[in-house]
Amino acid sequence: MRVFGIVVAFGCVLIPSLAAAAEPAKSVDFECRWATGPIEIDGKAGEAAWQAAQPIDRFSLPWLKKQARPAKAATRAKLLWDREALYFFAEMEDADLFADVTEHDGKLWDNDVFELFFKPSAEHQGYYEFQVNAAGTRLDMFLPERGTGGYDKFKADGPFRWQTAVARRGTLNERGDRDDGWSVEGRIPWSDLLRTGGRPVENEIWHFALCRYDYKKDAAPELSTCAPLVSQASFHHHEEYARLKFIPQPADPRLPPGLAQPVPLTTSRVVGSPDPPLPYRPVRAFGQLKLTYPIALDRVPGCDELLVIAQASSSGPTIVYRLHDEEQAASVVPLLETPRGGVAYGLCFHPHFASNGYLYFGWNGRLEEEQPKRTIVTRYTWNHEAKTIDAASALNVISWESDGHNGGDLDFGLDGMLYVTSGDGTSDSDTNMRGQDLTHLTAKVLRIDVDRPAPGENYSVPADNPFVGQPGIVPETWAYGLRNPWRLTVDPKTGHVWVGNNGQDLWEQVYFVRKGDNYGWSTYEGGHIFYAERKLGPHPHVPPAADHHHSEARSLTGGVVYHGSKLPELAGAYIYGDHSTGRIWGIKHDGTKVVWHKLLADTTFNISGFGLDSRGELLVSDHRGGGDGGYYYLEPMPATAQPASFPRKLSESGLFADVARHAMQPGVIPYSVNSPLWSDGAHKERFLAIPHQDGADRRIGYAAKGSWNFPDETVLVKSFALEATPGDAATRRWIETRFFTRQAGEWAGYSYRWNDDQTDAELVPAEGLDVELSGAGRKWRFPSRTECMVCHSRAANFVLGLTTAQLNREHDYGSASEHQFRTFERLGLLKLPYEPDATNFLKEDLRGDGQSADEAARLAKQFGQQSKQRKPRETALFAGDPHRYPRLPNPYDANEPLEARARSYLHVNCASCHVEAGGGNAQNKLDIAADRSKLNVLDRKIH
């Protein structure tokens, strides 16, 4: 269309005579400062936060080049931001208020209008246009790329949930009078900008233009902008937008040092462990080899080649590789892919491998694409000359349906029979009741004869198997009652069969497997009752040779029997470890009883198995990717090795500025929780210490549910005191201070006992301590180091108090109080993924607008992150205000609802064990997120 002889395009004016001769635009920088305090969108900008905003008041006509001039009617604009929104305010002089477009997304540039353009990324094309006219009508658009359809295509592409308010100083659309002007105030939630990654991070630079049309009766409109649009009078010419820097929130000057601004903690001496070194340490094997996620290894009989089963990703399919057994080996040769994307768990070689070339794999997958998953034993043939596996020779020997605890490891006995493990076939607490079910092949050690197959089969059942001919028992059974047997081995000298078994809630097991044994799962978990109401099979329960509480092992990995020469103390020992803690043990059995059992090493590995090299020396498999995984030998710890100089007193820790005053170093952060753990009335104070390391990322990994994740050498401090008068610090006497610290990837707890003079505290022995408190008439238990890990469980992600729901509260820092989310944000302690929470909040808002759950999810996906646009940034800021995040009620606050108080108490005091896989055999689910009907404590009969 044409207005007053000037060609008008949507949202801009093109002046041909001036657009041809472009001049370089000068960079113009502005600040979008943090909005401190709430802002009411009323068109007035009366809040104190606006006083701190940078004025943007140089609106001009830069495309006039040498004739460029300020706009005739002044505009004064401001921008602010916070976690949830971008705020704008513009006050405009206007002698003739004119706005007759009332349709949302109408052609507002035909009116007096204020326009905002934001381009979040210089590398991506997408940008936004927002307009508000003097009548309060709005236009909002996202343009994924300029020139791809413009106004007609994108004008109704929503939803946008921004708010505006207009205040007029004059009469609208009365063209004969004289007006003073108008103002507009607005709030654009970051969810409106999710298509380009949403909210900026602190100090990020965006590009933008604030623009205006000002109409006068019988005159062409005057256009003006704050951006250096020198080349042409187009508000869409984003190459010449101004730059906008997002300024972080300021510190509260009332906060003490170390909280107002980050203070690096450089004094911590809480490093390592106070305990003496273990007898062995790992040393890298095949130092030049980059191997990802190795699972199993075995030596090829009669040569110096090893076969390795490994994965490209931690949950992906497996490939069998050949590795030449020499220290300089730098590569592996792929030999075989597991069929149909399956995962192989173990391999072994036929006793007559030299003549027949048979090798066997245990794996889990599908025999046919549409079939359920099965655990399968497959035989292949080896080419001795080429050192390859003939994939076409595959013969499936035995299989059974299984999708979860699959077993699948195997080895030949000295009797020539093949021993194979099977799990209970599920992924939880034996939900299909297979542990004591003798009618299926699951939850067992199987023994089969592969050399004398029965007619129509690829194996036969040995006649001396313990249950042959007994009705209701699969005859392949050698032993039963296993949950998830992860590794089986046969001692090549004695024929003893060993199995490592993954436990469920509290215990991990090692079994010395004997003919006909019943290991009790799931009536028992190892040597301990699990489901007491479940009927034990027809044979008595046999306890494991060793079991480990989850305070020291959480996913046990069976191993091999060592008969090498480099580690003479370990000759004849079954070596096994733990995937989660990286610990390695050895155990010896004389056929009747255990005669030796020892913790050998504590590694940082994700142990997936053990193997022997071509010389019979022990190899440990570390199931990690990124070049970190691979194989390791064990070597004796040098005699000169000494325990780390772990602090034996609080005064040696480097965390206290003054122990007697219980005053911490400035870089140690105090915190408090919504729902404190029960401590028999003791006063508690809590602190977080993350030591500084040059160049290292020392931020905390946020988690929406459960505990946050912390870097190595983090120390969580909690001190306990008794007060003669509750709440009176003058009557306070400190009893205990606990350190919970993450060292080399593992958490460990240590307790310190305060002296009578209240000047210092000393480290308590590893086994803990019971004392009678002088003058208090009560006993106090200082927990052992293993006791700490009972509550600080894997299911709780180890840390208990530092969770979103616990920390969602104000904290009194003495000189001022501040919400703890704000403190963590300002100190730069957090790394949060922005998009998941922001998308969930958008869904909640859409539901609040009346959308159904399905429609809200659809809209959030449609108008969420777009693939070719700026991506969400990792941020130090929460995606929303604290009220949008979970908060635990205080059980001791009578103003809270009674059930909420009870649920909160159970959550913090009980749910670290009584949740799924948390270690609570009562089968209660007591976490606050559990459905009320699933608690399993209401209206239940007590046995």
Side-chain angles (χ1 to χ4, degrees):
M1 68 177 178
R2 292 183 176 270
V3 179
F4 307 117
I6 299 176
V7 180
V8 180
F10 76 94
C12 66
V13 172
L14 302 179
I15 305 177
S17 62
L18 298 176
E23 293 182 2
K26 295 180 180 179
S27 175
V28 178
D29 294 347
F30 295 98
E31 293 182 352
C32 185
R33 296 171 183 169
W34 189 264
T36 303
I39 293 177
E40 180 183 359
I41 305 303
D42 56 8
K44 301 175 182 177
E47 293 82 7
W50 286 116
Q51 304 306 311
Q54 181 188 34
I56 304 174
D57 53 10
R58 296 182 179 179
F59 279 66
S60 64
L61 288 68
W63 48 83
L64 297 180
K65 298 180 175 61
K66 293 181 179 180
Q67 287 76 40
R69 60 173 175 79
K72 295 177 181 177
T75 302
R76 291 172 290 277
K78 294 181 178 181
L79 297 172
L80 291 170
W81 74 300
D82 63 15
R83 288 161 201 81
E84 294 199 317
L86 173 67
Y87 303 91
F88 64 89
F89 176 73
E91 186 176 28
M92 292 158 281
E93 295 179 356
D94 194 332
D96 181 12
L97 292 179
F98 169 64
D100 61 357
V101 178
T102 58
E103 176 191 1
H104 181 75
D105 288 334
K107 297 180 179 181
L108 302 191
W109 55 89
D110 289 343
N111 291 177
D112 290 336
V113 68
F114 181 71
E115 303 184 350
L116 306 95
F117 295 83
F118 294 102
K119 189 171 186 294
S121 170
E123 293 78 33
H124 303 87
Q125 292 298 309
Y127 67 106
Y128 299 87
E129 178 177 2
F130 299 93
Q131 298 187 18
V132 186
N133 72 6
T137 308
R138 294 179 299 178
L139 177 150
D140 39 60
M141 288 192 301
F142 170 66
L143 294 101
E145 189 173 0
R146 192 176 53 210
T148 56
Y151 171 74
D152 290 332
K153 181 176 181 179
F154 296 110
K155 64 179 180 179
D157 187 19
F160 288 88
R161 305 186 69 258
W162 60 312
Q163 305 164 265
T164 58
V166 168
R168 292 181 290 272
R169 301 185 303 281
T171 54
L172 186 65
N173 298 332
E174 293 190 12
R175 311 304 299 270
D177 67 355
R178 180 174 180 82
D179 304 311
D180 292 326
W182 63 291
S183 60
V184 58
E185 187 176 22
R187 178 185 186 274
I188 303 173
W190 296 119
S191 58
D192 280 0
L193 281 64
L194 269 177
R195 282 171 277 203
T196 56
R199 190 184 64 201
V201 298
E202 295 171 312
N203 296 310
E204 187 175 349
I205 303 292
W206 284 15
H207 294 79
F208 84 114
L210 305 181
C211 308
R212 180 183 173 188
Y213 279 68
D214 181 22
Y215 280 81
K216 298 291 186 291
K217 185 179 180 180
D218 300 325
E222 181 180 67
L223 281 67
S224 60
T225 180
C226 70
L229 299 176
V230 173
S231 298
Q232 51 186 273
S234 170
F235 295 161
H236 292 265
H237 192 61
H238 51 64
E239 290 82 358
E240 295 179 340
Y241 281 179
R243 288 159 42 102
L244 185 65
K245 183 176 183 179
F246 291 88
I247 305 301
Q249 55 183 321
D252 188 334
R254 301 172 299 162
L255 292 171
L259 294 171
Q261 296 292 340
V263 174
L265 178 63
T266 59
T267 57
S268 176
R269 293 189 288 275
V270 184
V271 179
S273 167
D275 300 318
L278 292 169
Y280 298 92
R281 68 182 184 183
V283 58
R284 185 93 185 194
F286 317 116
Q288 300 180 51
L289 180 65
K290 300 296 184 184
L291 196 61
T292 63
Y293 300 109
I295 291 179
L297 173 147
D298 205 350
R299 51 187 173 175
V300 180
C303 67
D304 55 1
E305 301 292 328
L306 307 174
L307 294 189
V308 176
I309 299 173
Q311 297 168 289
S313 64
S314 61
S315 58
T318 48
I319 297 175
V320 181
Y321 298 94
R322 189 182 80 235
L323 168 63
H324 187 63
D325 187 8
E326 62 177 359
E327 183 54 37
Q328 292 74 30
S331 62
V332 292
V333 178
L335 299 181
L336 183 72
E337 293 186 14
T338 310
R340 285 171 290 283
V343 178
Y345 299 132
L347 74 155
C348 68
F349 299 87
H350 192 279
H352 303 299
F353 174 78
S355 59
N356 62 26
Y358 291 162
L359 66 161
Y360 297 78
F361 291 92
W363 60 284
N364 184 262
R366 291 179 171 86
L367 290 174
E368 301 293 341
E369 289 299 333
E370 302 304 320
Q371 290 184 352
K373 284 187 175 182
R374 304 178 69 83
T375 295
I376 306 154
V377 174
T378 302
R379 188 192 77 189
Y380 290 91
T381 301
W382 174 265
N383 184 317
H384 288 282
E385 183 177 350
K387 298 181 180 180
T388 58
I389 298 171
D390 180 6
S393 68
L395 176 72
N396 295 325
V397 177
I398 187 174
S399 71
W400 58 91
E401 190 171 326
S402 183
D403 188 8
H405 304 149
N406 298 319
D409 204 11
L410 67 177
D411 203 0
F412 279 92
L414 300 187
D415 53 10
M417 301 297 112
L418 182 63
Y419 292 78
V420 185
T421 60
S422 65
D424 64 22
T426 68
S427 296
D428 195 17
S429 303
D430 196 15
T431 52
N432 58 3
M433 303 282 285
R434 292 293 181 85
Q436 295 296 296
D437 184 347
L438 290 166
T439 65
H440 294 83
L441 294 175
T442 44
K444 296 173 177 63
V445 173
L446 308 174
R447 180 175 179 260
I448 60 176
D449 185 344
V450 296
D451 290 332
R452 289 164 285 275
E457 302 288 344
N458 293 323
Y459 72 92
S460 64
V461 174
D464 59 344
N465 271 12
F467 307 117
V468 169
Q470 296 187 25
I473 303 178
V474 290
E476 293 89 345
T477 303
W478 183 255
Y480 69 100
L482 294 168
R483 176 182 178 270
N484 188 25
W486 183 250
R487 297 282 169 255
L488 172 147
T489 194
V490 176
D491 187 331
K493 289 192 174 182
T494 66
H496 293 160
V497 179
W498 289 92
V499 164
N501 187 61
N502 293 160
Q504 173 75 34
D505 281 0
L506 282 176
W507 300 94
E508 304 292 313
Q509 304 91 40
V510 172
Y511 288 106
F512 184 84
V513 178
R514 284 177 278 211
K515 182 178 182 177
D517 279 356
N518 175 13
Y519 300 119
W521 177 252
S522 58
T523 307
Y524 287 82
E525 182 185 30
H528 310 269
I529 284 289
F530 189 76
Y531 280 120
E533 72 278 10
R534 289 188 176 177
K535 185 180 178 181
L536 195 65
H539 310 95
H541 169 243
V542 177
D547 54 6
H548 295 272
H549 191 272
H550 274 185
S551 59
E552 61 180 5
R554 303 180 198 103
S555 181
L556 196 133
T557 298
V560 295
V561 179
Y562 177 73
H563 292 288
S565 60
K566 290 187 176 181
L567 308 172
E569 181 195 18
L570 305 185
Y574 174 63
I575 311 299
Y576 65 97
D578 184 68
H579 177 83
S580 293
T581 65
R583 293 186 176 99
I584 299 172
W585 292 266
I587 189 171
K588 297 181 182 181
H589 203 286
D590 66 3
T592 303
K593 62 184 182 302
V594 172
V595 295
W596 180 88
H597 193 202
K598 190 173 185 178
L599 178 61
L600 304 177
D602 192 357
T603 74
T604 60
F605 304 158
N606 294 333
I607 299 174
S608 56
F610 295 80
L612 300 171
D613 70 10
S614 60
R615 297 167 297 281
E617 296 303 326
L618 182 71
L619 286 166
V620 185
S621 174
D622 182 11
H623 188 256
R624 287 189 288 182
D628 296 325
Y631 283 92
Y632 292 80
Y633 291 108
L634 290 184
E635 67 176 14
M637 187 71 70
T640 56
Q642 298 294 325
S645 55
F646 194 88
R648 304 282 167 168
K649 296 181 178 180
L650 292 185
S651 56
E652 299 170 356
S653 69
L655 303 181
F656 287 79
D658 188 324
V659 176
R661 293 192 302 110
H662 204 270
M664 312 303 287
Q665 293 283 358
V668 178
I669 312 302
Y671 71 95
S672 54
V673 297
N674 281 316
S675 182
L677 275 75
W678 181 86
S679 298
D680 201 11
H683 167 81
K684 290 181 286 189
E685 293 185 7
R686 305 167 184 84
F687 303 88
L688 165 66
I690 302 181
H692 173 77
Q693 290 183 8
D694 288 339
D697 185 355
R698 309 301 288 163
R699 294 175 296 164
I700 302 166
Y702 159 84
K705 298 179 180 179
S707 75
W708 295 353
N709 299 294
F710 296 85
D712 274 350
E713 298 187 14
T714 293
V715 187
L716 310 181
V717 182
K718 182 159 63 173
S719 290
F720 300 78
L722 294 180
E723 296 171 334
T725 303
D728 184 359
T731 65
R732 184 177 301 161
R733 288 189 61 80
W734 297 106
I735 305 166
E736 179 185 6
T737 293
R738 295 177 186 170
F739 288 173
F740 193 55
T741 179
R742 191 176 191 266
Q743 304 287 328
E746 283 292 321
W747 287 97
Y750 303 96
S751 288
Y752 292 80
R753 179 185 180 185
W754 281 76
N755 60 27
D756 290 340
D757 295 334
Q758 297 284 281
T759 58
D760 211 339
E762 293 192 2
L763 183 66
V764 170
E767 63 273 14
L769 189 66
D770 290 299
V771 299
E772 189 84 28
L773 297 178
S774 58
R778 62 192 294 186
K779 291 183 177 179
W780 189 268
R781 171 66 181 169
F782 294 85
S784 70
R785 291 170 199 164
T786 55
E787 282 178 82
C788 292
M789 304 311 298
V790 174
C791 289
H792 291 276
S793 66
R794 174 178 57 172
N797 198 23
F798 307 108
V799 174
L800 301 181
L802 285 124
T803 70
T804 300
Q806 280 281 38
L807 295 171
N808 189 354
R809 56 170 287 146
E810 294 277 329
H811 183 84
D812 184 0
Y813 295 105
S815 55
S817 66
E818 183 177 56
H819 197 284
Q820 292 181 133
F821 286 4
R822 305 291 183 260
T823 304
F824 281 91
E825 287 175 337
R826 279 191 303 93
L827 297 179
L829 288 173
L830 295 173
K831 50 181 177 182
L832 299 97
Y834 171 76
E835 185 184 24
D837 284 348
T839 301
N840 285 334
F841 295 155
L842 175 57
K843 292 177 187 176
E844 292 174 6
D845 292 338
L846 290 168
R847 291 296 306 278
D849 292 342
Q851 302 288 355
S852 68
D854 289 344
E855 181 63 9
R858 186 192 70 79
L859 289 172
K861 182 177 182 180
Q862 179 179 352
F863 301 110
Q865 176 65 45
Q866 293 196 358
S867 60
K868 296 182 179 181
Q869 302 298 337
R870 168 187 174 270
K871 299 296 185 290
R873 310 296 175 88
E874 189 176 80
T875 175
L877 303 177
F878 286 86
D881 282 335
H883 75 273
R884 307 206 71 156
Y885 289 86
R887 181 191 67 86
L888 284 178
N890 182 350
Y892 307 100
D893 183 355
N895 295 317
E896 297 276 9
L898 181 60
E899 181 172 335
R901 293 165 61 192
R903 294 291 302 270
S904 180
Y905 182 91
L906 292 172
H907 178 84
V908 301
N909 288 284
C910 308
S912 59
C913 290
H914 293 288
V915 290
E916 184 176 355
N921 285 357
Q923 301 298 303
N924 310 128
K925 292 188 176 181
L926 301 180
D927 59 303
I928 201 164
D931 186 88
R932 196 172 188 266
S933 63
K934 302 295 179 63
L935 295 177
N936 205 27
V937 295
L938 300 173
D939 301 322
R940 296 288 179 176
K941 185 176 180 180
I942 299 176
H943 296 281

